[in-house]
Structures are given as C-alpha cells and as structure tokens.
Amino acid sequence: MSAFRYQALEVLLRQQIQAGRYQVGEKLPSVRTLCQQHTLSKATVVHALHKLEADQLVYAVPKSGYFVAEGMSYTDLPRKVSTPSVPAPVNVPDIFRDIMSRSAAFDILPSDGSTPVSQHLITLNRMIAKSSRTHPEQKAYYYDEPKGYAGLRQAIVDLYRQRNTPMNAEDLCITSGCQHALFLALMASCQAGDTVAIESPAFYGVLQQLEQLGLNVIEIPSDSNTGLDIAELEAKIQHWPIKACIVTPNFHTPTGSKMPVANMKALLMLANQHDFYIIEDDIYGELGFQNGPCPAIKSECTQGRVILCGSFSKCLSRELRMGWIAGGRLHAKIVQLKLITQLASPQAIQQGLAAFIHQGHFKRHANQYRQQLKEQSDQLLTELKRGWGQAIKFSRPQGGLSCWVELPEHIDTQKSYPSLLEKGVVLTPGALFSAHGLYRNHMRLSFSQPLTEGRRSALQLLFHTLLKDEP
Amino acid sequence: MSAFRYQALEVLLRQQIQAGRYQVGEKLPSVRTLCQQHTLSKATVVHALHKLEADQLVYAVPKSGYFVAEGMSYTDLPRKVSTPSVPAPVNVPDIFRDIMSRSAAFDILPSDGSTPVSQHLITLNRMIAKSSRTHPEQKAYYYDEPKGYAGLRQAIVDLYRQRNTPMNAEDLCITSGCQHALFLALMASCQAGDTVAIESPAFYGVLQQLEQLGLNVIEIPSDSNTGLDIAELEAKIQHWPIKACIVTPNFHTPTGSKMPVANMKALLMLANQHDFYIIEDDIYGELGFQNGPCPAIKSECTQGRVILCGSFSKCLSRELRMGWIAGGRLHAKIVQLKLITQLASPQAIQQGLAAFIHQGHFKRHANQYRQQLKEQSDQLLTELKRGWGQAIKFSRPQGGLSCWVELPEHIDTQKSYPSLLEKGVVLTPGALFSAHGLYRNHMRLSFSQPLTEGRRSALQLLFHTLLKDEP
C-alpha cells in the first residue's frame, strides 16, 4: 500500500466533506465504490477512511458504511453567538435599507457582469411570450383567479413531490415572490405586539417586515451546519410564548446550513406543544448541493401548522416575481390577504412557467445550476482557506447562495461598507442579519456568481480593507 | 323656424348631456358651431338652447356661452344616502369576498367573450417580449431598483403632464397594480385604530384593506355627479378627526362621478386645516369621456399631502399588474414598504410598457378605448332608460367603467346574487360598496364590455329577477 495513494484519497474526501459535498449524517460512497472510482485496493480505501474517522470527520456504522459526523471537526466554523433572552421590537437603521437593496443581488462586484445566459432562460422567455399571445384579450380584461393559475400550482406540487413533500394544488397560492409570501404569512399568523422567534443570524428581509408589523422578536442561536438550535428555542419559549417561528431549514442565508430531519421533527413537536406557527422559508430549497430529494418541514406536518413560502427568484429568475405560499390551516385567510395586497398575478408568466416546468426544463436547469453553484462554492471556500484561513472562520454551505464569515472580534464590517462601495464592491455586513445589533465582526459572502478575476480582486480588496488594522 | 328642427337639436343635446357626453360645468359647443354642425339657423339653435335652459339642464354665461348645470335636472339620479355619523371598524362578510373577486372583471356575463383584441395590445405584448430578450441574464440575476424602472416612471410622468398634473420620475414608485398602491398608502399614513374617511358608496377593494389594517371608517355621502360631499366631510371631521381620506375624484366606481376642480381645492384646504392625507385613487383617470386633460387632485397640492395611486389595469391591461404611487411627503416610507411587501417589479414588463408609451401607442389606445367606453355607456344608459326607466334611478357616468343603479327600496339586490350566478350572470350588489351595510337596494352595472345580445339578455334576466316581486 502506497502512502501517497491513501493520503491522496484522504485529502480528497476531507476537502469534499469540508466543502459540504457530503452533508452531516450523509453516507459516503461505499468502500467498494471508492475502490472502483479511484482504482485503489480495499486496504488503501479503508486506511484513508480510518484516518478521517480518527479526525472525527466521519463515523462508521457497522454493516452500513461511513457517515459524515455531526460535529465535523472544523476548527474554523463561525461560532454560535448567544442572543438576548428577552423579546424586543426590531429597529432597522436607515443605512441598512440601502445595503439591503444592494445585497439582494448576492454579488460582491455587480459591475463584473453576470453568469452567461443559460439556454433554459431563453426557452423560458419564449414560453412566456407564447402564453402572452394566447387569448390576449381574455388576459387584458379579466383578472387571474385569486389563488393563481391552477396549472402553475400543480407544477409546483410536482416539484415538491420529487422532494418527498406531498401537497395539493388547492393548498397553494401564487404570490409576487417569497418576500410577498413571508409578508402574507406574518400578517395572517400574528398581530402587532406578538412575539416571533427567528434564527440568529436571520434573513434581513424578514427583519424589516417584523419591524413594520410591530412584532417583537426573539433571536435563537443557529448553528452554521444544522441551523436553528432547537434546545435554545425550547428554553426561550418557556419564558416568552411565541406566535410563530420563522426558519429556513434548507440552505439558510447567510450560513448555507441545513436542518437535519430529526431537528425538523423536534421543531414540529415544539410547535404543537406550544401552539405556534412555523413559517418555513423554502426559497433555497431547490439549491442543495446533494442531488437527493430534500424534504421541507411541511412534509412532516399533519396539523397545518407550517406556512411554507417559496419562490423561483433564486433557483430560476428574479425577473419572474413568482412565489408561492401553502398556508396550512391559515390558507383561506392568506388567499384573502393576497387579494387585498395584490389582487392577482400576471397570467402569461404563470402559464409559461407552468409549461416550462411540465416539459422538464426546470429540472434540467436546476440540476445544472446546482452543479454550477457547488463548483463556485468550492472555489470560494478554497480561496478563503488559502488567503485568509488563519484570520477568519467560515461556514461550509450545504446549498444556497452564500457563506457566513466570522472575522476577528475587533473588526466592524459595517464601517468599511461606504469606502468599498465607492470602489464598486458590495460588502454585506453581519449586523444586517440580527434584530439586535449582533454580528458586527461578521459578513456574508456569496458564490452566486462565478469567481472571475474581477471578483477575486474584489475579494482581495475586501479582506485587505477589513484586515488592514490587524494587530 | 321649424318646430321639428329645434326639437331635434334639443333632444340630441339633452341626450348627450344626460348620457354624460358633456360634464357638469362644461361649455357646450358655441351657437355658431352648432349652426354649422347641424346646418341650422342661429334662431333655431338659440331656441333649442333656451328650452334646455328652461329645464335647468344648462345655464347661460353672458358673452361666453351655455354650460351644463351643476344640479342637472335629472329626476332619475340615485339619491345621496345619509351615512352613520360615528366611525366604526369595517367587517366584510365572507360571502362578499366571492362576489368581489368575480366583480373585479366588471362584466355581467363573463361567458359571453370579451372585447375583440386590439392591435395595441398585440403591439404591447411584442414590445414586452422584445424587452425580455434584452439582457435576460441581467434580469434573471439582479433585481430591479426598489422604485421601479426609471424609464417607466418617466413615461407615467409624461402622461400626467398631459393631464396638467406635473411631477417628477423621482416622485413615483412602481407597484403591483393599484390595489397594492392603495395598501402601501394606507400602511404609510395610518396605524391601527385610526379613522379614515371614505366616499359612500366606496370602492370595495379598499374596504377589505381597511378591515385588515384595523382602521375605523367614516362614510361620507357622495353625489352621483360630483363625488364626495365636501360639506358633509367638513361637518363629520369636526367631531371625528381623520388620518386620511380616500377619494376617486376622476370617474369613481360605482357612480362614474367626477369631482369638480373647485371641490378638489376645497378638499385640499380641509386636508391642510385638519392635517390629514388624501389618498387619491386615480385608476380611472385616463378614462374620461371628454378628451380634454383631466387633472388629478395632486395637481393642486403643494404640501405633499396627496398620495396618488394609479394603474394600467383598467385603461390598458389587467394582465400587466403594473401600478404606481406618488407618496408626497410619505414617499420614502412608501418605497420601503414596497420593498418589504414585494421587493421588486418585473423589468421586462416595465421596459416594454415604457417603450409602448413613449412611442405613442398608449395614447392611441386610450383615445380609442375611451371612445368605445363612451359608446358602450350610451348603449347601456339608453337600455336602462328604455327598459326600466320608471322603476329605477341611475347615475350618468362621466368616465370609467360603471354606472350606479338605485332600485325600489324593498328590493335586496344581494339576495338575487346566488340564483343569477347559477345562470352565469354576475350581479354586483350595492352593499359591497358600504362599510356599514348601506345600499341594499342598489347595484353596479358596467359598460366595460360591448352590450352584445347575450349581455342584453343577461340584463333582462337581471331586472326580471330583481323586479319580479314589484307590487
């Protein structure tokens, strides 16, 4: 057995695990498969796996194989931060609003040009244009039905079936993107003065909604790998009853974390015991780096407690402004709120999109885009490790568009925002992701765009600016 | 002078006035013009005008001409109804929600097929499809700016300039239709528990919003010709301070009334004195039967008190889901609320629409559609007069899509809704237009679609059903 051969495999698997290629609890390829893939002897493969096991990256299950360990032995993951234990209203500073609208593009260097256009997007445009030529007078003079086009709702149901999350077209309502869906979910489930639990760090778009609706917020620490800390949630709601918990189980922004199924079940049990709604933000649900089906919390819920919100903005096109909501026991109320806030959705876009999904284009696009994101994520993580691995900690996204970076404590990422913006570089400061001013030494980095030379330089400039006062 | 000749002119002018061809306060064509148009002698024309003057349909202004009288001597206009004097929350019964979503189409017989498609709509679709082929990757990966596409905002500014209502593109924000704009206006200007004044009858879509936002409502009687009764508003707000007044000055639904400029000014003075916002619903602003420019209340406001809301849904296409809001002093807050509720608008639709307006297609379409609506209105009013003139009173719309009908007091229009719906006929009951259960013996009729044989039969069936218990 050559030392070089087992080490090469060990390094490869280690990189793949740390880059999130295999998620926590997932089985690695079998010894036999690894032998075949790498033309190695069984002894060599087992030796490499034993090394990983010794480092606590994987654990063996007798007669089954090797699995990625829960507490992967990264030393460079952002730490869980303790959060205030008392609910408080949100107060979003004005400067954040500017940052938010720029950060929505998830691009550190918007001037650098975006991903080359995919053939699938061209096909989608053609199908929408075709729908708009069909019965244009009907579309011009009559509104769509309040729930949205039934064909599109059925197409979304089909996508969820592939994720082992069964539902019916009647359970869905089309919205103007996920932001609209989340707003409807909060309006339907809460009243001003109620308390809502959020992940910490949390998606900033929701913080503005919570502020506007006069809701109190309690932040629950979240793990960079497994998401919301269920035990912390349980401890906090003993003292502070909540009306709803907003959570992004599948590929949360900013961390890219994925909630294990066991945690989903535990969260649902808590919701049933303590009578609150789960508002599930599923906007990144199609963007897992693993190809297997990735169920939503909704799939485990039998009591209509989960309000599932999603959108095609992140997995297909931000231009569509097409999202959905499955409101569970609040669904009728939510459809009314959709009518009140938007009346109806454009019909041609819905019809074109439904045809695009039915004909399999969406699946092909998503598979390709997922692969691309995975590669871009690997590139970014490699770059971070290589360039600033000693100074920072960063999450290992299991899907989605972004990675969460912790910098040394004395650094305030927000302070560098204006000077970087002048140079065209969009920094997304960590403080955006907290209702209570946490994460000043954090930031979100995205791999939604290819790591071009321009973006590589922007990253250099970013870290140079942030770390220049490094003692 | 032949009696026949002057009578023919008198009847013609009378019909034109009663059908709303000339609006209150508007000058009739000069004596000289009438002589030329109808090849009549001056004496004949003057004689006809004197007859109209004697009937108080017109009044003479020395050295100027003949004008349509304020209190046109119709005996068959719906009466102004007195409203509760104490503000109260809105409670929209569940059955109304079904009626509202069907009535949004303004069509008594949706199965009858709609207006033939206009060439302008085909052009619009082509321009939108073209925009969607331009930089599709940019559109897919980056959101539109929060205020919406600047080119479309400028195009809307240009349309308002033609209506003597100047503003800047920066003053506007694109929304997902007028319903969305009105919702943003209410969220920005009011808090739960505040009181809002509305016209009575009022647009039902707003009533649902008021209910959802927990606002109290005070109904202000409105005249079928001149809209909101300013004196009544003034009297009521002495006792009940209001935060906002929602008003549709130009071609209100259901009445088709038009607020005279003098009343607009008086309303603005009240708003300044009593410190409230005017939420101006301008969705029908382009649909006046007169061709002259028709200013919005906003044109008279120097203090940023008017929140102007509009949309292309009624004057161009319901499919676009494109509206706008000019929030005056609340504009920054409103743009934030747009971001919170919808994030962004589709770019291709905005760009295609902007090009459509810039190239003059919109004006051509609007001119043609206005003329068509005017003819359809004349047809409907003639039909009403001829068929049921003895039993009913009805408004004389000066624009918009609908006419307001008062039936004998013992008739409850809502009661006939289900049985008519079974036959495919959509009745829009009067009670929909009140926060407090008024107008049970009223209904809205629309002339948004051609009065085909099918719709004529539907109208027959409608009145037969409603009036069958007539003593």
Side-chain angles (χ1 to χ4, degrees), chain B residues 11 51 66 84 140 147 216 228 262 299 323 362 373 401 412 418 455 471:
Chain B
V11 166
K51 296 292 282 183
Y66 286 85
K147 276 186 180 172
N216 291 316
L228 189 82
S299 68
F362 177 78
L373 286 174
L401 299 179
D412 183 342
R455 288 199 182 84

Side-chain angles (χ1 to χ4, degrees), chain A residues 328-347:
Chain A
R329 59 173 84 163
L330 293 177
H331 199 58
K333 188 173 178 188
I334 282 170
V335 175
Q336 279 310 316
L337 289 171
K338 188 251 177 120
L339 206 64
I340 289 174
T341 53
Q342 203 211 0
L343 206 56
S345 308
Q347 299 169 75

Side-chain angles (χ1 to χ4, degrees), chain A residues 361-390:
Chain A
H361 298 293
F362 177 79
K363 265 292 149 198
R364 283 189 286 276
H365 165 82
N367 287 338
Q368 183 181 314
Y369 188 45
R370 243 190 308 261
Q371 183 58 33
Q372 178 190 331
L373 286 174
K374 161 106 200 61
E375 284 163 18
Q376 287 168 191
S377 168
D378 287 352
Q379 281 171 6
L380 177 68
L381 297 190
T382 304
E383 189 79 4
L384 291 182
K385 186 86 183 170
R386 196 185 54 74
W388 307 278
Q390 300 305 309

Side-chain angles (χ1 to χ4, degrees), chain B residues 314-326:
Chain B
K314 300 296 195 282
C315 60
L316 181 57
S317 169
R318 287 161 177 78
E319 167 73 353
L320 298 169
R321 310 310 305 125
M322 279 290 150
W324 59 84
I325 185 164

Side-chain angles (χ1 to χ4, degrees), chain A residues 59-358:
Chain A
Y59 58 94
V61 175
K63 309 214 185 246
S64 183
Y66 286 84
F67 291 77
V68 177
E70 271 284 342
M72 287 189 293
S73 64
Y74 295 124
T75 54
D76 52 358
L77 279 186
R79 286 163 299 177
K80 226 186 284 181
V81 163
S82 71
T83 57
S85 54
V86 177
V90 187
N91 189 353
V92 180
D94 271 346
I95 189 196
F96 280 18
R97 307 192 194 277
D98 176 69
I99 308 180
M100 286 171 182
S101 67
R102 290 176 203 274
S103 296
F106 278 82
D107 189 355
I108 191 179
L109 194 67
S111 63
D112 207 41
S114 61
T115 309
V117 63
S118 99
Q119 187 57 43
H120 299 121
L121 283 178
I122 294 173
T123 304
L124 174 62
N125 278 342
R126 202 164 44 224
M127 294 177 102
I128 292 171
K130 186 177 168 196
S131 299
S132 75
R133 290 193 302 272
T134 312
H135 299 303
E137 71 295 346
Q138 185 70 22
K139 294 186 170 81
Y141 292 111
Y142 299 89
Y143 289 109
D144 184 32
E145 66 172 308
K147 276 186 181 174
Y149 174 55
L152 178 58
R153 288 187 276 116
Q154 185 57 48
I156 295 168
V157 164
D158 294 343
L159 293 178
Y160 274 109
R161 191 181 309 117
Q162 295 168 36
R163 289 174 55 197
N164 293 340
T165 303
M167 59 182 89
N168 298 314
E170 280 307 292
D171 304 334
L172 280 170
C173 174
I174 302 299
T175 64
S176 180
C178 196
Q179 185 83 4
H180 187 208
L182 292 166
F183 189 69
L184 299 182
L186 282 171
M187 276 210 296
S189 60
C190 301
Q191 294 198 307
D194 286 344
T195 297
V196 173
I198 60 171
E199 293 156 296
S200 183
F203 166 50
Y204 50 74
V206 156
L207 297 179
Q208 290 196 41
Q209 296 182 339
L210 294 164
E211 180 187 35
Q212 174 60 33
L213 293 171
L215 297 166
N216 291 315
V217 164
I218 189 147
E219 290 190 54
I220 311 298
S222 288
D223 182 89
S224 294
N225 263 314
T226 57
L228 189 81
D229 186 321
I230 309 291
E232 288 258 16
L233 175 67
E234 186 168 17
K236 290 201 171 172
I237 61 179
Q238 305 295 333
H239 303 287
W240 308 103
I242 57 171
K243 262 291 173 57
C245 175
I246 310 179
V247 60
T248 310
N250 288 317
F251 324 120
H252 178 254
T253 190
T255 59
S257 66
K258 177 170 182 359
M259 182 181 276
V261 172
N263 292 22
M264 290 185 179
K265 289 182 179 168
L267 177 59
L268 262 173
M269 267 184 57
L270 274 187
N272 290 335
Q273 276 164 24
H274 294 269
D275 192 23
F276 61 83
Y277 290 98
I278 296 171
I279 300 177
E280 179 173 18
D281 182 349
D282 192 41
I283 194 167
Y284 304 103
E286 286 281 348
L287 297 184
F289 298 155
Q290 303 307 124
N291 284 318
C294 175
I297 300 180
K298 180 102 184 162
S299 68
E300 300 285 339
C301 178
T302 54
Q303 298 193 16
R305 282 201 181 273
V306 176
I307 307 174
L308 179 74
C309 301
S311 164
F312 291 102
S313 293
K314 300 297 194 282
C315 59
L316 181 57
S317 168
R318 288 161 175 79
E319 167 73 354
L320 298 168
R321 310 310 305 123
M322 279 291 149
W324 59 85
I325 186 165
R329 59 173 84 163
L330 293 177
H331 199 58
K333 188 173 178 188
I334 282 170
V335 175
Q336 279 310 316
L337 289 171
K338 188 251 177 120
L339 206 64
I340 289 174
T341 53
Q342 203 211 0
L343 206 56
S345 308
Q347 299 169 75
I349 296 177
Q350 293 181 83
Q351 290 171 4
L353 186 50
F356 182 80
I357 298 168
H358 277 310

Side-chain angles (χ1 to χ4, degrees), chain B residues 173-450:
Chain B
C173 174
I174 302 299
T175 64
S176 179
C178 197
Q179 185 82 4
H180 187 208
L182 291 167
F183 189 69
L184 299 182
L186 281 171
M187 276 210 295
S189 59
C190 300
Q191 295 197 307
D194 286 344
T195 297
V196 173
I198 60 171
E199 293 156 296
S200 182
F203 166 51
Y204 50 75
V206 156
L207 297 179
Q208 290 197 39
Q209 297 182 339
L210 295 164
E211 180 188 35
Q212 175 59 32
L213 294 171
L215 297 166
N216 291 316
V217 163
I218 190 147
E219 290 189 56
I220 311 297
S222 288
D223 183 88
S224 295
N225 264 313
T226 58
L228 189 82
D229 186 321
I230 309 290
E232 288 258 16
L233 175 66
E234 185 166 19
K236 291 202 170 172
I237 60 179
Q238 304 295 333
H239 303 286
W240 308 104
I242 57 171
K243 263 291 172 57
C245 175
I246 309 179
V247 61
T248 310
N250 287 318
F251 325 119
H252 177 253
T253 190
T255 60
S257 66
K258 179 174 183 353
M259 182 182 276
V261 172
N263 292 21
M264 290 185 179
K265 290 181 178 169
L267 177 59
L268 262 173
M269 269 185 55
L270 274 187
N272 290 335
Q273 278 165 22
H274 294 268
D275 192 23
F276 61 83
Y277 290 97
I278 297 171
I279 300 177
E280 179 172 17
D281 181 350
D282 193 39
I283 193 167
Y284 304 104
E286 285 281 349
L287 297 184
F289 298 155
Q290 302 307 124
N291 283 319
C294 174
I297 299 179
K298 181 102 184 161
S299 68
E300 300 285 339
C301 177
T302 55
Q303 298 194 16
R305 283 199 180 275
V306 175
I307 306 174
L308 180 73
C309 302
S311 164
F312 291 102
S313 293
K314 300 296 195 282
C315 60
L316 181 57
S317 169
R318 287 161 177 78
E319 167 73 353
L320 298 169
R321 310 310 305 125
M322 279 290 150
W324 59 84
I325 185 164
R329 59 172 83 164
L330 292 177
H331 199 57
K333 188 172 177 187
I334 283 170
V335 175
Q336 279 309 317
L337 289 171
K338 187 247 177 125
L339 206 63
I340 288 174
T341 53
Q342 203 211 0
L343 206 55
S345 308
Q347 300 170 73
I349 296 177
Q350 294 181 84
Q351 290 171 3
L353 186 50
F356 182 81
I357 298 169
H358 277 310
Q359 294 178 24
H361 298 294
F362 177 78
K363 265 292 151 199
R364 283 189 286 277
H365 165 82
N367 288 338
Q368 183 181 315
Y369 188 45
R370 244 190 307 262
Q371 183 57 33
Q372 179 190 331
L373 286 174
K374 160 106 201 62
E375 282 162 22
Q376 288 167 190
S377 169
D378 287 351
Q379 280 171 7
L380 177 67
L381 297 190
T382 304
E383 190 79 5
L384 292 181
K385 185 86 183 170
R386 196 184 55 71
W388 306 279
Q390 300 306 309
I392 65 172
K393 301 171 189 288
F394 51 92
S395 67
R396 300 306 188 284
Q398 298 173 53
L401 299 179
S402 68
C403 159
W404 185 229
V405 178
E406 179 187 341
L407 293 136
E409 278 189 22
H410 68 281
I411 291 176
D412 183 342
T413 51
Q414 196 186 322
K415 252 173 49 187
S416 301
Y417 175 79
S419 67
L420 284 164
L421 190 62
E422 273 178 28
K423 292 164 184 148
V425 175
V426 178
L427 162 71
T428 305
L432 238 66
F433 300 88
S434 166
H436 303 113
L438 304 171
Y439 308 115
R440 301 199 73 84
N441 59 319
H442 291 67
M443 65 178 168
R444 181 179 76 181
L445 285 177
S446 172
F447 42 84
S448 76
Q449 296 294 333

